[in-house]
Amino acid sequence: MSNTVISIKNLNKSYNGFKAVDDISFHVNERECFGFLGPNGAGKTTTMKVIYGKALYDSNENTAVDIFGYNPKDKFLDIKALSGIVPQQDNLDIQLNVRDNLYVYSKFYGMNKRTAEKRIEELLSFMELTEKSKAKVRELSGGMQRRLTIARALLNNPRLLLLDEPTTGLDPQVRHLIWNKLRELKEQGVTILLTTHYMEEAYQICDRLLIMDMGKKLLEGSPRAILADNIEKYVIEIYGVCKQDSSCTGYLDEAGIRYEFHNNTLFAYCNDSQKLAKAAETMNESDYHIRPSNLEDIFLKVTGRGLNELQ
Ligand code: ADP
């Protein structure tokens, strides 16, 4: 049986009467990578901030928040001592070089010089920054700054690593490198909680997910189970189809194939990909693409919007 690191029941957080987090419950097991997936404004960061005590949740008799047995309302320092935090914006000291950014933080943790130096070397090597150890932060690429922020969060050997949008704005190569590092950390026994609006990130690295929108939980489970339980296996995207042209959708209606229009594209869903190919043929459409369905399709199905689309 795995131990529970985070247990949240009926969490609410309001800002001036506006509900940023609306009755969310979930738990995270030790050595698990758990993700909040949702668009901007879904309440992901706020939920994460509650966990490490940076935001105070609303008082409500049904609410219970337990992180390593501590309530962040009054025990946030105990939680911080066991956690590493990677905020959405890198807040490194741009005047200092790479190594000194880590060294300054080691002082906050009360590490002695020898222990700090050893740990810093290990982390620079782990995050592939050894060659940059003497470079000023402002000389680093965005991807290197992110890796340094992650290294800094690992200084105290945290049992829980919290990452808010760890790869937003980074190119695919750095994104993959960071995913691999997070997988390695999980192997080493670190529990990981991250927020993301990239469905690929959620699918690739999370053992379980909570899909959120407008402060509410939509779905929870492993990426595979969420897909298997909530959507057909395949989707066809047919481009440039007019919503008003019912001749296009006649076959789909007859065959009982679910479909919807989104941004001038017809999306039709079915467990049998050959039926979808037949649909395109019958409709005389050549501009189409058949693919396995993904978490973005589920978000569209449940909310009527794309994950990275403005409301
Ligand atoms: P996400 O991380 O999913 O993008 P956030 O948790 O940052 O979402 O925000 C959820 C909602 O709460 C948004 O509508 C945001 O504008 C609002 N919000 C977040 N922080 C504050 C704050 N400090 N004051 C007022 N509103 C806030």
Side-chain angles (χ1 to χ4, degrees):
M1 266 276 295
S2 49
N3 294 325
T4 305
V5 170
I6 298 174
S7 172
I8 306 268
K9 291 196 184 104
N10 304 103
L11 179 72
N12 291 278
K13 169 68 186 171
S14 307
Y15 291 110
N16 303 321
F18 168 76
K19 275 213 159 180
V21 179
D22 193 351
D23 211 34
I24 296 263
S25 300
F26 64 95
H27 71 277
V28 180
N29 296 320
E30 197 170 21
R31 294 171 163 258
E32 186 172 43
C33 180
F34 190 90
F36 299 137
L37 174 67
N40 277 334
K44 307 181 297 295
T45 301
T46 305
T47 309
M48 187 169 264
K49 282 182 175 170
V50 163
I51 289 168
Y52 64 90
K54 195 161 181 208
L56 287 179
Y57 56 89
D58 300 346
S59 293
N60 181 332
E61 59 182 33
N62 300 323
T63 303
V65 180
D66 180 318
I67 323 294
F68 294 115
Y70 298 115
N71 184 335
K73 265 198 174 162
D74 54 357
K75 295 286 184 192
F76 62 92
L77 286 178
D78 297 275
I79 295 168
K80 261 197 160 163
L82 297 168
S83 312
I85 296 153
V86 180
Q88 211 171 95
Q89 304 289 338
D90 295 317
N91 52 0
L92 299 160
D93 189 329
I94 59 164
Q95 306 294 339
L96 297 181
N97 70 26
V98 165
R99 178 176 278 118
D100 288 347
N101 260 276
L102 299 179
Y103 191 65
V104 165
Y105 251 68
S106 74
K107 295 276 169 202
F108 296 148
Y109 291 116
M111 295 164 88
N112 69 43
K113 194 161 185 258
R114 239 173 102 184
T115 313
E117 280 175 353
K118 184 165 172 282
R119 182 73 183 137
I120 288 167
E121 291 319 311
E122 276 168 16
L123 288 171
L124 289 177
S125 165
F126 178 65
M127 291 312 290
E128 301 181 26
L129 286 168
T130 305
E131 282 176 18
K132 294 285 174 188
S133 65
K134 292 205 171 89
K136 287 264 169 31
V137 164
R138 66 175 117 83
E139 295 162 17
L140 302 180
S141 67
M144 288 172 186
Q145 292 193 13
R146 200 94 267 250
R147 276 145 59 196
L148 179 56
T149 307
I150 296 174
R152 194 184 63 186
L154 294 170
L155 263 173
N156 59 333
N157 278 305
R159 286 173 58 194
L160 172 66
L161 183 64
L162 304 156
L163 306 108
D164 198 356
E165 310 235 346
T167 67
T168 294
L170 303 182
D171 60 50
Q173 212 183 348
V174 185
R175 184 169 297 160
H176 281 272
L177 187 147
I178 290 179
W179 291 352
N180 283 336
K181 297 299 170 191
L182 295 181
R183 288 186 186 109
E184 278 183 53
L185 286 168
K186 211 184 71 164
E187 287 294 305
Q188 292 168 22
V190 179
T191 304
I192 297 175
L193 178 69
L194 61 87
T195 76
T196 185
H197 57 259
Y198 294 131
M199 63 102 190
E200 182 65 13
E201 181 156 277
Y203 188 80
Q204 287 282 338
I205 57 173
C206 294
D207 300 305
R208 285 191 308 121
L209 289 178
L210 191 153
I211 304 184
M212 298 178 69
D213 189 36
M214 296 196 224
K216 289 195 164 69
K217 167 154 94 174
L218 300 179
L219 293 164
E220 185 183 352
S222 75
R224 276 170 216 281
I226 289 178
L227 281 171
D229 295 346
N230 294 284
I231 198 148
E232 299 83 348
K233 274 193 191 147
Y234 298 97
V235 53
I236 184 169
E237 297 181 13
I238 308 179
Y239 309 110
V241 177
C242 176
K243 201 172 183 171
Q244 279 74 34
D245 186 355
S246 60
S247 66
C248 289
T249 51
Y251 174 84
L252 299 174
D253 288 328
E254 272 171 35
I257 294 175
R258 185 175 73 83
Y259 61 89
E260 57 195 324
F261 288 91
H262 195 67
N263 294 340
N264 286 330
T265 301
L266 171 64
F267 292 80
Y269 306 86
C270 187
N271 286 324
D272 182 347
S273 60
Q274 293 196 344
K275 272 195 186 168
L276 294 176
K278 177 100 188 296
E281 223 174 83
T282 314
M283 289 156 64
N284 228 359
E285 294 291 343
S286 55
D287 196 7
Y288 67 85
H289 174 51
I290 298 177
R291 58 173 174 80
S293 50
N294 60 38
L295 295 169
E296 177 107 37
D297 297 314
I298 291 192
F299 193 81
L300 182 65
K301 180 181 173 189
V302 179
T303 66
R305 299 192 322 280
L307 254 175
N308 295 305
E309 221 166 79
L310 294 175
Q311 287 173 39

